[in-house]
Amino acid sequence: MKQESESLRALRAEIRGFLAEQFDPELRARLRRGEFPKRADLVAWQRALNQRGWGAPNWAREFGGAGWSDFEQLVFLEECSAVCAPAPHVFNITMLGPVLNQFGSPEQRAEWLPKLLNADVLFCQGFSEPGSGSDLASLRTSAQRDGDHYVVNGQKIWTTAAHYSDWIFWLVRTDPQAKKQKGISFLLIDLKSPGITVRPIISIDGRHSLNEVFFDNVRVPASQLVGEENKGWDYARFLLGNERASIAGVAKARERLGYACELARATLPGGNGSSLAEDPVFQARVLRLEAELEALDRTQVRMLSDSNPAGRVAGASVLKVKGTELQQRVQDLLVDIGGAASLRLPGDTGFGPDVREPLGAAHLYSRAASIYGGTNEVQKNLLAKHVFDTTP
């Protein structure tokens, strides 16, 4: 196990005490079963964190954040994951906030940062388009300047939480003549603007978290441009770098593995009175997963300690690939424990309180982990380039 300083141990104890006092046990039970948090859950929890001063662990203090180091942030995420508490709102805090802190105007920071911290508005992300997923730079949604507005036309897809979000940050093509990475801009838009249509996508798990978003001559004030026109690709790379660095999910996978062991102890597969947890094959699967999670945890610590930017970029890809693979294998184990009950999805006849039933939905949803945040195939290409590129 990794060694921690006295200050990190003290912070861990403080966070653990806060979670024990403030995190709703009923919400924890729902999330532990594999359900999605509701909008009201996310807003209430973000406000509780913000009131404690922990609404944005990854922001500098000057912007209203906690100003924590990478290792302090890791401790916080580990403790939240251990009790299934949501992290700070991913779109508001992990993604958009750092972009505004780095590239936004003083006026934009003054307007948006307090709202993001307190969940007064919830943002979603509009990057992917039909035919422009992993090849994000090929996006075609256009924004043409018309006086003090942009007029936007196009479509986004796989837009998580658009059905209950207030605003969207998105990439649009503002210069169709430029090379594809050079003509992209980063805009903020109110989802209630005329000309926007949000349509649900019911994913393979039978649940609604994804959406299509259509833009038909949507007028966006030019003041909602973040940074410079046609520099949006640089801002998107910055944003995705932040996302991928936290996507390993070691603590989350450990919590799920612990939940699997708990369910296994309550599962009696045979007539001899012994639980599944006593089965040698099950024990071997658990031990292997524990060993691989420990190895990934140590890799994560080495990456956070690496002062070489190139090493950090490669390390983030390693964490993303291996982390999502382990998350999926833990979900495989959970659905195996659930057996036939875990095959039922929400909405099926007979769906009820059996804790095993949401496992099938969570298992199917976990297939997306190796796709979002940059597909694992793309990450492996980046790693190959890093390892085999011998250019001086």
Side-chain angles (χ1 to χ4, degrees), residues 122-199:
L122 296 187
F123 270 82
C124 60
Q125 177 194 51
F127 280 15
S128 294
E129 298 183 4
S132 299
S134 297
D135 184 15
L136 183 58
S138 65
L139 65 88
R140 291 172 291 180
T141 295
S142 66
Q144 295 181 334
R145 189 68 180 260
D146 180 22
D148 58 357
H149 284 75
Y150 288 98
V151 179
V152 181
N153 287 278
Q155 177 188 357
K156 299 293 179 178
I157 199 168
W158 315 123
T159 309
T160 302
H163 55 300
Y164 64 71
S165 296
D166 306 298
W167 282 65
I168 185 171
F169 59 87
W170 54 343
L171 296 179
V172 293
R173 187 161 300 285
T174 43
D175 184 356
Q177 306 305 319
K179 291 183 179 180
K180 60 182 185 178
Q181 287 92 348
K182 300 297 184 181
I184 294 172
S185 296
F186 193 109
L187 292 179
L188 313 178
I189 185 169
D190 187 341
L191 281 169
K192 296 186 296 294
S193 301
I196 294 181
T197 302
V198 178
R199 294 179 185 169

Side-chain angles (χ1 to χ4, degrees), residues 37-231:
K38 302 172 183 176
R39 176 189 164 106
D41 299 329
L42 297 174
V43 170
W45 184 237
Q46 179 62 37
R47 289 177 177 173
L49 291 174
N50 188 40
Q51 186 175 10
R52 182 62 182 80
W54 297 342
N58 58 324
W59 297 8
R61 290 182 183 274
E62 65 181 293
F63 298 125
W68 282 341
S69 68
D70 288 339
F71 285 103
E72 289 170 327
Q73 294 175 49
L74 181 60
V75 164
F76 177 72
L77 291 175
E78 287 175 342
E79 291 303 316
C80 286
S81 295
V83 296
C84 293
H89 191 266
V90 62
F91 299 118
N92 280 21
I93 304 302
T94 306
M95 296 185 180
L96 178 58
V99 172
L100 292 176
N101 293 341
Q102 185 76 13
F103 305 107
S105 67
E107 294 77 15
Q108 287 173 333
R109 289 196 288 268
E111 177 183 3
W112 288 112
L113 297 188
K115 295 176 182 178
L116 299 181
L117 280 166
N118 203 49
D120 294 332
V121 295
L122 296 187
F123 270 82
C124 60
Q125 177 194 51
F127 280 15
S128 294
E129 298 183 4
S132 299
S134 297
D135 184 15
L136 183 58
S138 65
L139 65 88
R140 291 172 291 180
T141 295
S142 66
Q144 295 181 334
R145 189 68 180 260
D146 180 22
D148 58 357
H149 284 75
Y150 288 98
V151 179
V152 181
N153 287 278
Q155 177 188 357
K156 299 293 179 178
I157 199 168
W158 315 123
T159 309
T160 302
H163 55 300
Y164 64 71
S165 296
D166 306 298
W167 282 65
I168 185 171
F169 59 87
W170 54 343
L171 296 179
V172 293
R173 187 161 300 285
T174 43
D175 184 356
Q177 306 305 319
K179 291 183 179 180
K180 60 182 185 178
Q181 287 92 348
K182 300 297 184 181
I184 294 172
S185 296
F186 193 109
L187 292 179
L188 313 178
I189 185 169
D190 187 341
L191 281 169
K192 296 186 296 294
S193 301
I196 294 181
T197 302
V198 178
R199 294 179 185 169
I201 297 175
I202 305 304
S203 48
I204 193 174
D205 58 345
R207 298 182 288 185
H208 177 201
S209 64
L210 304 170
N211 304 272
E212 296 177 283
V213 186
F214 298 87
F215 309 93
D216 183 13
N217 291 322
V218 178
R219 296 185 66 83
V220 182
S223 61
Q224 300 302 343
L225 172 72
V226 175
E228 299 179 44
E229 191 175 274
N230 299 323
K231 292 292 184 67

